Amino acid sequence: MSVAAVLAAGSGPWPSHPPAFADDVNSIDAIVRAMYASVSFTEGRGPDADRLASLCVPHGRLIKVHANNIDDMSVPEFVERVQTRISEQGLRGFAERELFRRTEVFAGIAHVFTTYESHTDDGGADHLLYRGINSVQLRHDGRRWWILTILWTDEREDCPIPAAYLPRT
């Protein structure tokens, strides 16, 4: 991608914020694809921190909802947690992919419910880790889409993903 294409996306009102690739933020489809790509990795490298940060507003939040509590993180805190897991647990690869999406848009804001499945690679073996739903809140500033929050929860035995949020077979 050319420098012009990166700079075309700009960093909005935050000049020190990492610039996004224009192709990552020009549509809701593009930013959701980029979100999944930026958290997935191989060879123990970890998430693409700069790309993920460029998709989010500087004060964006990544919030994992557990049965009894939440983990509320900034992008750097999220990346640090994954890096810790790589170094302490030998995680080599992680891939998250979208299974289904429902999108609502009004007046420059969007809410995306996107069902995912995650796989890990802990030394050559690919394992289905979990499935769940990301709730992504977005804003369009007239030039590009921004992620405000990614709120997610994993499917649990006592809380399966409803059929309405799974691909039709």
Side-chain angles (χ1 to χ4, degrees), residues 33-47:
R33 275 192 311 272
M35 175 191 76
Y36 279 113
S38 67
V39 300
S40 299
F41 59 89
T42 59
E43 300 173 15
R45 287 185 230 164

Side-chain angles (χ1 to χ4, degrees), residues 10-26:
S11 57
W14 306 287
S16 63
H17 196 66
F21 290 107
D23 289 346
D24 280 355
V25 295
N26 63 8

Side-chain angles (χ1 to χ4, degrees), residues 1 4 9 16 25 40 67 82 92 125 130 144 149 157 163:
M1 178 159 295
S16 63
V25 295
S40 299
V82 175
R92 296 186 41 77
Y130 43 74
R144 58 160 286 181
T149 2
E157 192 172 302

Side-chain angles (χ1 to χ4, degrees), residues 122-158:
D122 56 5
D126 180 32
H127 303 283
L128 174 62
L129 188 58
Y130 43 74
R131 299 184 321 170
I133 295 180
N134 287 311
S135 172
V136 185
Q137 289 70 50
L138 302 160
R139 174 182 185 264
H140 196 278
D141 67 1
R143 294 174 24 163
R144 58 160 286 181
W145 285 98
W146 293 93
I147 294 174
L148 304 172
T149 2
I150 304 170
L151 176 75
W152 76 96
T153 193
D154 297 334
E155 180 177 47
R156 301 184 311 268
E157 192 172 302
D158 66 330

